[in-house]
Every structure is written in C-alpha cells, then in structure tokens.
Amino acid sequence: MAGEKIRFGAFIAPFHPLDENPTLALERDLDLVVHMDKLGYDEAWLGEHHSAGYELIASPELFIATVAERTRNIRLGTGVSSLPYHHPLMLADRINQLDHITRGRVMFGVGPGALPSDAFMMGIPVSRQRDRMDEALDVLVPLLRGEQVTKKTDWFELNEARLQMLPYSRPSVEISVASQVSPSGATAAGRHGLGLLSIGATQTGGFNALTSNWAIAESQARDSGTSVDRDQWRLVGPMHIAATREEARAQVRAGLDKWLYYFREVAALPLAPTDGSDPVDAIVDSGMAVVGTPEDAVKQIERLREQSGGFGAFLLLDTNWAEWDNKKKSYELIARYVMPEVNGMNINRRASIEWAAANRPRFIGEAQAAVGARLADHIEKKGTENIRPEILAAMGLDKKAEAAE
C-alpha cells in the first residue's frame, strides 16, 4: 500500500497501576522512548497530570529534557500541556528553551486539562477550562513566534511580554491542539492554523467525529485567514501486536483489567463491558483497539485513513497492557512490519526481485555463455588438464574438448 507517508509515534500519558514502583515506572517510560528512537519511530508525546495516581508525568518538559539526552532523532512533544494550569509566559519560555536545547526536536501539544480532579485542586472551574485554553492560545502563538504581547484576562496578565530568545524552529515550534469528540479542539486549531491531536480516534465517538472535526478545522481556518495541514493531523489509538492473535490476546490480559478499572472509576469513559463479556473481545470488536498481528494493525491504519480522508501520523496510545518485554516486542513488530507496509517502503524491493526473477533465464544464459567462452578460450590455449570434468560437463564443453584433442 503506497500513498502519503504516515509517521509513527506514541502518546504516553502514561498509565501505571498502583501496585508498581513509581520511580521504576517512570524510568521504564524513558526507556520506551529510547527503544522507539532506535527502532525509527518519529515522535513521542508525553502527558501532564497531577492527580488520580496512574498518569505519573507531572511535567512533560522535564521528561523531554531528560530523554532528549538519551535519544538522537525522535521528536518529543508535550502531550499535552494543560494551558489553564500555567501562566502563558512561563510556559512559552520553557517550551522555547526546550526548542533550543533539543535543536528543534520539541513539539508543543496543548489542551484544556483532562482530569477534573487536577483543576479542582488548583481552584480552576471545570466549566472555564476550555475558555482559558483559548485565551492562553491567543497569546502563546504570538509569543512562540517571538512577538510582543499585551493582554489581561481574569486569570493572567501580560504587559509588553516577549521571550528573550527567538525560537530555534522558525517561525515557531510546531503546536497541536488536543481533540476528542467536541469541536473545541478543531475550532482552536483552525483559528490559529495549528495541528490537531485526535486522542480518541479509534473510540466509536472519536472515530465517527474524524471527518466532521477536520471539516470544522478547515472551515474555521478559512474564516480566520489561516490554514491547516493534514500532515499535522495525528490520530491516536491503542495496539498490541504479537506473532499470532492468540499470543497477543494472552499478553494483554496482564494489565488490561487494571487499565479498564482506571477509565471506569476515574476517567469515566465507557470502555469496559458491563454485561460480563470478555473485555478483549469488547475493545477489539468495537474497533477501539488492535490486539493481534501486524496484518491487523495495517488494516486499522487503512480504516483510519479511509474514515479521515488522510492524516499525517498515527500515535500508539501507550497502555501498559502487556508485560514490559512483550510490550517492547510489540513496538518492534510494528516498526519491522507495519511501518513498511503502510508506507510502501518495500515497493521497489519487490519490483526489483520480481524483475530479477522474470529475467533469470536470460541473465543465467548470458552468464553461462560468458563463462563458457572463457573456458573454451582456455582449453584452446592450455587444454583441459586443470579443469574438473563436471565443470566441463555443466558447460557442455567436454565433447568440444575431446573433439579439439
């Protein structure tokens, strides 16, 4: 399958059950990004959360600064920075510094904040989070382009504010807005000409909203005098891959129930069946997740491509369903088999071997004729004393040699 190249990455919230050592869990997240870098993944996005115990990265900027020193090529994004939690100037300054120290490998994902418990602890009205995200974006976009901004709202004030350094990436670091089902993310992306992070792209509501959300982004961009690019549209969904479907299903049972518990009890998303049916069947049959083989993963990408009309990157929702070794193997299998199939990386290799096979009789005949000519020349000059009989027989020169004698 060939077409526009799709980048691959991971959206790492992360999700770590309460029975694990949190220090080691964070170290494993760092190791995962290093593993991805070696496998040729394009991007890793790191979350920001402050409550509920599972999503342990409080500062994606600190994580990025750490893992940037351990990696070479992979781009690193905040996935996402919760804008109502930060004064815009401070956040812009940190992102701009990361842009410089990573030599342009940083990306800036933004959102209103996913957990109401985070907002509650900071006294932020949940009903105002999306409004505050919009207000912050209004100043963050020009700040990160090196412009001067003056603005006063009911929660921050900027007076002739300007970053001390121009961005390393020109005209700005890449900015993407989180989106699920509601149009707020797509509207913000279109208004400012930013990328879009469709975090629930494989869940039923998010999948069905892909086309409409991109249409909203394009429409808003036209109204705002900006533009949006499908190459900066990222779709997020979970996958676990093994050699067979049976192996994959057995492996995800190590952590699936704990993951579903978090979403059922904390995040309040209806991901787990309530009728006693197998949860693996539920997430696979709904299309929300791939638990299977590389071929199943390719079909999911094709399904998303058809539904969306085209996008730039697929990000694995990192789930910790499987044990660490099996999880790393899943990432490896995706890099070895899914990426090349989706992006047509082996088209020329296949064409080359088919061409070589189709022309084998001609090539072999020419090669044998060339060798035979040299042998005949040698026999004519030196005789057959030092040539093995089977070589003469294979080349059809034994009788010619006898006749010459």
Side-chain angles (χ1 to χ4, degrees), residues 19-297:
D19 55 356
E20 290 198 33
N21 182 325
T23 306
L24 296 181
L26 286 170
E27 187 65 33
R28 204 161 62 248
D29 293 331
L30 292 165
D31 289 344
L32 174 62
V33 180
V34 172
H35 183 58
M36 292 172 62
D37 186 49
K38 292 177 180 177
L39 290 171
Y41 281 82
D42 300 285
E43 305 175 358
W45 297 75
L46 298 316
E48 177 194 354
H49 302 89
H50 304 279
S51 62
Y54 265 53
E55 301 174 85
L56 296 180
I57 297 175
S59 170
E61 302 100 328
L62 282 175
F63 191 103
I64 289 170
T66 302
V67 81
E69 290 296 301
R70 305 185 189 185
T71 55
R72 296 179 59 188
N73 300 307
I74 194 168
R75 300 185 70 206
L76 305 163
T78 61
V80 296
S81 295
S82 300
L83 298 190
Y85 304 169
H86 307 276
H87 191 285
L89 181 63
M90 297 296 97
L91 182 56
D93 232 351
R94 295 197 299 271
I95 296 299
N96 198 45
Q97 180 172 319
L98 277 176
D99 186 34
H100 281 268
I101 66 176
T102 64
R103 298 294 194 272
R105 280 200 285 151
V106 73
M107 302 169 292
F108 186 32
V110 302
L115 294 177
S117 49
D118 287 357
F120 175 82
M121 291 195 300
M122 289 176 271
I124 299 171
V126 174
S127 61
R128 289 277 294 134
Q129 284 181 260
R130 283 169 175 76
D131 293 335
R132 291 189 178 186
M133 180 191 79
D134 291 336
E135 291 168 348
L137 265 181
D138 286 342
V139 300
L140 281 164
V141 171
L143 281 172
L144 286 167
R145 290 175 180 158
E147 300 172 14
Q148 180 177 292
V149 178
T150 295
K151 186 179 180 71
K152 185 174 183 178
T153 72
D154 62 357
W155 66 284
F156 71 81
E157 183 173 352
L158 292 172
N159 297 310
E160 300 178 14
R162 188 197 307 269
L163 301 183
Q164 295 183 96
M165 297 186 294
L166 285 172
Y168 182 88
S169 303
R170 302 297 176 89
S172 169
V173 299
E174 184 179 346
I175 305 173
S176 288
V177 186
S179 173
Q180 293 208 50
V181 178
S182 82
S184 57
T187 300
R191 186 154 58 93
H192 296 285
L194 307 177
L196 193 63
L197 275 165
S198 293
I199 297 175
T202 59
Q203 296 169 22
T204 301
F207 181 81
N208 292 336
L210 287 176
T211 303
S212 60
N213 271 342
W214 189 254
I216 289 168
E218 289 185 319
S219 174
Q220 184 64 54
R222 286 192 297 270
D223 293 344
S224 304
T226 65
S227 63
V228 288
D229 185 350
R230 286 181 180 270
D231 190 58
Q232 294 185 5
W233 188 13
R234 295 166 172 90
L235 308 189
V236 182
M239 288 183 176
H240 180 77
I241 305 303
T244 67
R245 290 179 181 175
E246 291 73 23
E247 288 179 54
R249 293 171 73 92
Q251 289 168 7
V252 301
R253 295 189 189 278
L256 178 60
D257 285 341
K258 293 175 182 177
W259 186 82
L260 291 173
Y261 167 83
Y262 175 72
F263 281 95
R264 185 174 61 247
E265 301 297 330
V266 177
L269 292 177
L271 300 178
T274 57
D275 58 1
S277 59
D278 188 334
V280 178
D281 288 341
I283 62 173
V284 172
D285 293 345
S286 69
M288 190 272 284
V290 173
V291 181
T293 65
E295 291 77 12
D296 296 322

